[in-house]
Amino acid sequence: MPVLAVSFARWAPLAAIALSVLSFDAAALSKRDAAAVDTLNQRMAAAEQRYREALVKAGNAEPGAIEQSNAAIEDMEDVVAACMKQKGCQLNDQMAAFKRLLKLNADAEAAGDADWEDDGDPMDPDPDHADDVGLAADVPEAARAASLLDDRGHRFDRMVQYNPAVQAGIRRWLTDMRPSLMDSYENYEYLRQTMWPSFERAGLPEALLFGIMAKESNGKVHATSRAGAAGPMQFMYATGKRFGLGDDGSGFDTRYDPRAAAEASAAYLNERLGQLNHSIEMSLAAYNGGEGRALRVYQGSGGRGFWDADVYNQFPAETRDYVPMVIAAAWLFLHPKQYGLHFPRVRTRPDQLKLEKPASIYELTICLGNGGTRDGFMRALRNLNPRYQADSWLPAGTTLRATAQIAGLYNRHCVHGPRAELARQLVMSDPTAAVVSVGSATPVTGRPTVTPMVPGPTTVATGVPTLDAKPREHRAVRGDTLVSIAQRYSCDAKVLARANGLKAPRYAIHQGQRLKLEGCAK
């Protein structure tokens, strides 16, 4: 997808709002309002000019460029916020300035991706291009901040109560749970283009999507609970099935698919909102504590709200904690600046990655390196490709969803070279090969006897198992499916199914089952 299209996707809500703003006749405005509008227009023009000057300074490696650009962006955000409150101010005029800067950002980001290196400071994309990459990253974040000031953002604020329970939830997210909040945001950024459109089409606030996902799974697509809930939105099997989730016929449970899970979640929430007087709190209580219970409590109370004592006390402690925690995460998503919260910048321009040789996500994670991130790319790759287990061997030619940055790092470090070789060595290492037979040993009294293990075939140079050693069977572990096992061992899935008596359409495999690896390349 072109960079510009990705950037402007963030502006879709703003575009709709801008078109809905009534066109005011300047002559009908009071002199005070007209003067205020003129002042805002001048402030926006001045801030845009300061940003452009900062971009030139960055290109010339002049000091202070980043600080100047940040100040200009903050002033532009303030102008947008003030414009929405000022009679006669045309929001679409203010948005035009942001769009012009987004065009500059698109060009700079494309150049930044081409020059990306990850051999410097782990939190510095490229020491030689830090300034221009930093400036390029600022504009989409400003666009996000501005878009969250739109009508839907304010609508969410009005739909929920900012009370002491929510404030306590904010305190928890900003203290002990701050790492989880930051992880949730980074994971959501990679998934946003997949999940947000479903909520947008359903007329639901983006903050609500983020809040639920942060509390349910921290944005980990493969999350499961002891109760059996699964996926980024944690659907129980029966509820998910009602909303179109479940086995897709290949052995994959679509509760783990972020796009399908978001669609089901939006449909579920709108159904609850319709039953519960459009109460966000009661709908969240149903999401966590069961729709039947929520409806009974609501009807039995005569339609009173969640925070009414007679209603509140009929929900279990988990639900009484869940509702304010989701709202608190959503509130922080909408108002980070107010709390001194700076969400990390994430490079999410989408791309595809076609494997030139067999690999697993584990192997890719190693050879890709950190790429300027804190934790590397394993979670991003798993979230973007939910059908694959991290240790599943994927044949050459497999196409993975990725980002432009990941694709660039793959071509640079994972196809050939020392990092590619090292990654392959590490993922193929067999701990049993470290134990060698050197003759009989005298057991020490009172301690268990250790029986030396004879290693399997290894390469002479590295001591790691040879790639052509073919296991004869596989013992299924939790989460294994016919597809994942076939991919791991490069098997013909139909041959593998026939050899083990697995019947369509479910091809059910149970934990501990021993499968004969027939029709497999390794």
Side-chain angles (χ1 to χ4, degrees):
M1 183 183 297
V3 177
L4 199 56
V6 175
S7 298
F8 275 98
R10 297 173 179 263
W11 286 89
L14 278 174
I17 260 309
L19 291 173
S20 68
V21 176
L22 295 177
S23 178
F24 285 89
D25 183 354
L29 292 176
S30 68
K31 290 183 178 180
R32 177 179 296 179
D33 287 333
V37 170
D38 186 55
T39 298
L40 290 175
N41 291 337
Q42 292 178 20
R43 283 180 58 192
M44 180 61 81
E48 180 183 355
Q49 182 59 33
R50 290 201 304 276
Y51 185 89
R52 290 176 177 275
E53 292 171 356
L55 198 61
V56 173
K57 288 183 179 179
N60 295 328
E62 296 181 27
I66 294 295
E67 291 77 6
Q68 180 175 330
S69 72
N70 288 340
I73 289 295
E74 289 179 5
D75 199 19
M76 293 174 76
E77 293 171 8
D78 292 342
V79 170
V80 171
C83 179
M84 298 189 70
K85 300 175 183 178
Q86 175 59 52
K87 180 180 178 182
C89 184
Q90 297 294 301
L91 182 60
N92 51 350
D93 290 344
Q94 309 301 338
M95 292 298 96
F98 270 114
K99 290 178 182 180
R100 287 190 292 271
L101 296 192
L102 283 171
K103 177 61 172 69
L104 292 178
N105 169 68
D107 297 338
E109 186 176 279
D113 284 334
D115 293 337
W116 184 271
E117 292 288 351
D118 66 332
D119 299 325
D121 188 308
M123 298 308 293
D124 184 353
D126 182 348
D128 295 330
H129 298 86
D131 284 341
D132 55 323
V133 172
L135 283 178
D138 278 340
V139 179
E141 293 304 314
R144 163 65 59 80
S147 70
L148 293 177
L149 293 171
D150 71 12
D151 179 67
R152 291 175 306 105
H154 287 291
R155 181 164 59 91
F156 179 82
D157 290 352
R158 294 193 297 270
M159 290 175 73
V160 298
Q161 290 190 34
Y162 181 75
N163 60 24
V166 173
Q167 293 164 19
I170 291 174
R171 181 186 69 227
R172 289 168 61 191
W173 281 118
L174 292 179
T175 52
D176 296 336
M177 296 180 65
R178 185 183 288 254
S180 295
L181 179 69
M182 305 307 275
D183 286 344
S184 298
Y185 183 85
E186 289 190 19
N187 292 335
Y188 175 67
E189 282 292 277
Y190 284 107
L191 295 171
R192 183 178 189 266
Q193 295 175 58
T194 300
M195 301 184 74
W196 160 231
S198 297
F199 267 58
E200 185 177 31
R201 287 192 298 269
L204 295 171
E206 182 176 13
L208 182 60
L209 167 61
F210 174 77
I212 293 173
M213 195 176 72
K215 184 68 174 78
E216 292 284 4
S217 66
N218 289 148
K220 297 177 181 177
V221 162
H222 296 90
T224 57
S225 75
R226 288 176 292 180
M233 306 304 282
Q234 290 289 281
F235 270 95
M236 297 295 288
Y237 180 79
T239 306
K241 190 173 182 179
R242 268 182 51 214
F243 288 87
L245 302 178
D247 192 332
D248 65 357
S250 71
F252 177 68
D253 187 340
T254 56
R255 289 183 294 169
Y256 297 106
D257 181 88
R259 185 187 306 276
E263 289 177 357
S265 181
Y268 181 90
L269 285 168
N270 266 336
E271 188 175 280
R272 302 285 73 74
L273 287 165
Q275 287 182 335
L276 301 170
N277 196 31
H278 299 283
S279 167
I280 291 286
E281 288 92 346
M282 288 297 293
S283 298
L284 290 174
Y287 201 103
N288 176 260
E291 60 200 69
R293 181 203 301 265
L295 186 59
R296 289 192 301 272
V297 171
Y298 174 76
Q299 292 174 339
S301 70
R304 282 178 284 176
F306 178 79
W307 299 112
D308 184 281
D310 290 339
V311 173
Y312 179 84
N313 290 326
Q314 291 189 63
F315 287 103
E318 179 186 342
T319 302
R320 297 198 299 264
D321 174 76
Y322 176 87
V323 172
M325 286 299 290
V326 169
I327 295 173
W331 196 274
L332 288 170
F333 182 78
L334 286 169
H335 308 284
K337 194 174 179 181
Q338 181 179 342
Y339 300 91
L341 182 63
H342 296 279
F343 286 123
R345 297 186 181 115
V346 185
R347 298 165 65 90
T348 60
R349 184 154 64 93
D351 205 341
Q352 289 186 334
L353 169 61
K354 188 172 183 179
L355 295 181
E356 296 194 22
K357 60 182 182 179
S360 66
I361 288 178
Y362 276 154
E363 182 177 334
L364 295 177
T365 300
I366 296 170
C367 63
L368 289 171
N370 272 32
T373 71
R374 182 188 61 186
D375 297 324
F377 300 103
M378 188 175 82
R379 174 53 50 195
L381 285 172
R382 293 210 68 197
N383 279 358
L384 292 171
N385 301 278
R387 291 179 178 271
Y388 301 130
Q389 296 297 321
D391 61 348
S392 296
W393 283 102
L394 310 177
T398 300
T399 299
L400 299 177
R401 293 187 64 213
T403 66
Q405 181 190 358
I406 291 174
L409 291 172
Y410 173 79
N411 292 328
R412 182 172 300 172
H413 297 297
C414 298
V415 180
H416 305 289
R419 278 213 332 228
E421 295 172 5
L422 179 60
R424 174 55 63 98
Q425 180 188 43
L426 293 177
V427 297
M428 295 302 297
S429 61
D430 180 2
T432 64
V435 183
V436 297
S437 179
V438 294
S440 59
T442 303
V444 178
T445 304
R447 295 183 181 179
T449 301
V450 177
T451 302
M453 299 181 67
V454 179
T458 62
T459 64
V460 175
T462 65
V464 303
T466 57
L467 298 182
D468 59 354
K470 298 180 180 179
R472 296 179 179 177
E473 66 177 20
H474 170 81
R475 185 171 183 176
V477 298
R478 183 179 179 183
D480 272 350
T481 65
L482 174 67
V483 173
S484 69
I485 295 171
Q487 290 169 340
R488 178 173 182 176
Y489 296 101
S490 299
C491 307
D492 183 307
K494 292 183 179 179
V495 175
L496 185 63
R498 283 198 302 270
N500 292 281
L502 303 179
K503 303 297 184 183
R506 291 185 61 84
Y507 298 105
I509 295 172
H510 60 79
Q511 187 171 344
Q513 181 177 355
R514 294 183 180 275
L515 302 174
K516 291 182 274 187
L517 296 178
E518 296 192 16
C520 304
K522 59 178 179 177

